[in-house]
Amino acid sequence: MLFWIVSLALSAAVGAALLRSLAQGGQTVSANADIGVYRDQLAEVERDLARGVVDAAEAERARIEISRRILDSDRSAGPARVARGSVALPALGIAVALAGAFALYLSIGAPGYPDLPIGQRIERAAIFHEDRPSQAEAVETAQIPTPPTPEASYAELMERLRTAVAANPGDITGQRLLARNEAALGNHTAAAEAQARVIALAGDAATANDHATLADSYVLATGGYVSPEAEAALNEALRLDPGNPTARFYTGLMWAQTGRPDRAFQFWKALLEDGPEDAPWIAPIRAQIEMLAAAAGVRYTPPAPAASGPDAGDVAAAAGMSQEERLDMIRGMVDGLAERLSSEGGPAEDWARLITSLGVLGETERAKAVWTDAQSVFAGHEADLETVRAAARQAGVAE
């Protein structure tokens, strides 16, 4: 309330001062600037008399002559008045300006919000970073969509896998397989537990990807929140491989969530500019990078998306192939796409393209398996899921 009282008082004072200045615009002023010159001449005569440059008689004659000129000048010119204009229009302009400033502040300002220097912002962000919820606390409050029910045969295989891994918990291969399949089913907390055992069993041999995969499971289990446990896994991944893209993406997300857009921007800007354009982290970065840059106080224009697809040389080479060679080339491209989606993920369009390609190649079982994985990946994202479902229907592996 004090803010509004002070603001209104200052606005009223400024407006009153401007209107008073406009209202006094018609005061009488002398129109003849020569009078000032004559007065200077009179002062000069007095100085000359004091220095003995002229005698008293000469000084008196000079005074009389200068005084006569002053009188003649004043009578010939007379007083002049500056034209007084109406103050109504300026007053209206001032009122409009004040109203506009008030409306603009309500739109982009924060009434009642205290001043927050950068030092205090960093301090608050550090406190929030240290005191934020743990992984367990975040999982309890997370609203995660229920994953789709897998086919009966796949569910039976998963039960067998869980039983086998529980009977032999020291088998790192079984733990890796369990972590991967729990993640595919959308059971991300169980996937994180299995992946944590993978890292424990691997010891010093655990790779940056192992730690990044653990962080990924943690984040997915909380619906996108980067917990302290996820951050620890990300730090270890970056220690082993500073260029690991998964760790860089989630680390940027963590800084954005904890009030440090400046640090988040540095991670995401580098990832965006490194590419490749079809990497799964590019789309979410592109959607938020300009807003993040603005929050960090940086003017930034993202680079234009790089064109993808075969070049003229690829097309020419394919034209000269036999049907068998062309099919082998297509299978190689399909296998490469499948490998990338399995390890890095990707947009719904890429999953749909893979299912369609497998259907064309007659590899129905592989297409069905990809469709099953896609249902877990895009659970809760109905638009993306419908894109993949359309391809699965075309391939004959979905109703």
Side-chain angles (χ1 to χ4, degrees):
M1 190 62 183
L2 178 62
F3 169 81
W4 291 113
I5 294 174
V6 173
S7 297
L8 291 173
L10 288 174
S11 299
V14 172
L18 290 173
L19 290 175
R20 183 180 179 184
S21 177
L22 289 169
Q24 292 177 344
Q27 289 183 335
T28 301
V29 295
S30 175
N32 199 330
D34 292 342
I35 293 178
V37 176
Y38 294 147
R39 288 174 178 167
D40 290 341
Q41 289 177 350
L42 283 172
E44 185 66 25
V45 170
E46 297 301 326
R47 287 193 294 270
D48 289 345
L49 178 61
R51 294 197 307 268
V53 176
V54 297
D55 57 24
E58 291 176 342
E60 183 62 23
R61 286 194 297 273
R63 290 192 198 98
I64 293 172
E65 178 61 24
I66 294 171
S67 297
R68 184 185 62 79
R69 291 179 181 178
I70 291 175
L71 290 173
D72 289 343
S73 176
D74 192 52
R75 281 194 300 269
S76 63
R81 295 182 67 85
V82 177
R84 183 197 301 267
S86 171
V87 299
L89 189 58
L92 179 61
I94 293 171
V96 171
L98 292 175
F102 178 77
L104 180 64
Y105 181 73
L106 288 180
S107 174
I108 65 174
Y113 197 77
D115 184 32
L116 202 60
I118 187 64
Q120 291 184 20
R121 296 184 187 186
I122 293 175
E123 183 180 351
R124 288 190 177 191
I127 293 173
F128 180 75
H129 176 263
E130 292 301 320
D131 296 341
R132 69 192 195 276
S134 67
Q135 179 70 23
E137 292 170 335
V139 168
E140 286 181 2
T141 59
Q143 296 182 351
I144 306 296
T146 303
T149 302
E151 294 183 1
S153 58
Y154 187 32
E156 183 181 352
L157 288 173
M158 278 301 300
E159 288 303 321
R160 291 180 183 177
L161 177 61
R162 290 170 184 143
T163 301
V165 170
N168 189 11
D171 180 10
I172 191 171
T173 301
Q175 295 289 358
R176 285 188 187 278
L177 189 61
L178 179 62
R180 184 162 54 248
N181 282 276
E182 293 287 18
L185 287 173
N187 301 325
H188 298 295
T189 296
E193 293 174 356
Q195 186 64 25
R197 287 193 288 270
V198 168
I199 293 173
L201 291 170
D204 293 340
T207 66
N209 281 334
D210 288 333
H211 292 281
T213 299
L214 175 60
D216 181 59
S217 294
Y218 279 145
V219 173
L220 292 175
T222 60
Y225 166 69
V226 185
S227 67
E229 291 83 350
E231 182 186 1
L234 295 171
N235 289 340
E236 186 62 19
L238 291 175
R239 185 187 70 81
L240 294 171
D241 178 14
N244 185 278
T246 301
R248 292 162 66 194
F249 174 76
Y250 280 134
T251 300
L253 179 61
M254 183 272 297
W255 286 122
Q257 292 175 349
T258 55
R260 290 302 303 270
D262 53 330
R263 292 186 175 180
F265 175 71
Q266 294 303 320
F267 277 93
W268 281 12
K269 174 179 179 290
L271 264 179
L272 178 62
E273 294 176 356
D274 287 349
E277 189 62 34
D278 60 352
W281 52 84
I282 294 296
I285 289 178
R286 278 199 179 279
Q288 303 175 67
I289 188 71
E290 291 184 81
M291 181 176 62
L292 188 65
V298 178
R299 293 183 179 274
Y300 179 68
T301 301
S308 61
D311 57 23
D314 294 330
V315 174
M321 292 179 179
S322 65
Q323 181 66 19
E324 184 177 350
E325 291 172 332
R326 196 174 291 115
L327 285 175
D328 287 341
M329 182 189 72
I330 293 173
R331 285 193 178 92
M333 294 172 63
V334 169
D335 289 342
L337 178 59
E339 176 63 26
R340 177 171 64 78
L341 293 179
S342 175
S343 60
E344 301 175 1
E349 291 75 13
D350 284 356
W351 287 82
R353 183 156 55 93
L354 176 58
I355 292 173
T356 301
S357 299
L358 291 171
V360 171
L361 292 174
E363 299 186 23
T364 307
E365 290 303 317
R366 286 186 65 188
K368 186 181 297 185
V370 173
W371 165 233
T372 300
D373 290 344
Q375 293 177 73
S376 298
V377 171
F378 296 106
H381 302 274
E382 191 55 40
D384 290 334
L385 195 58
E386 186 56 37
T387 297
V388 185
R389 183 181 289 112
R393 287 171 178 160
Q394 183 179 350
V397 295
E399 298 180 358

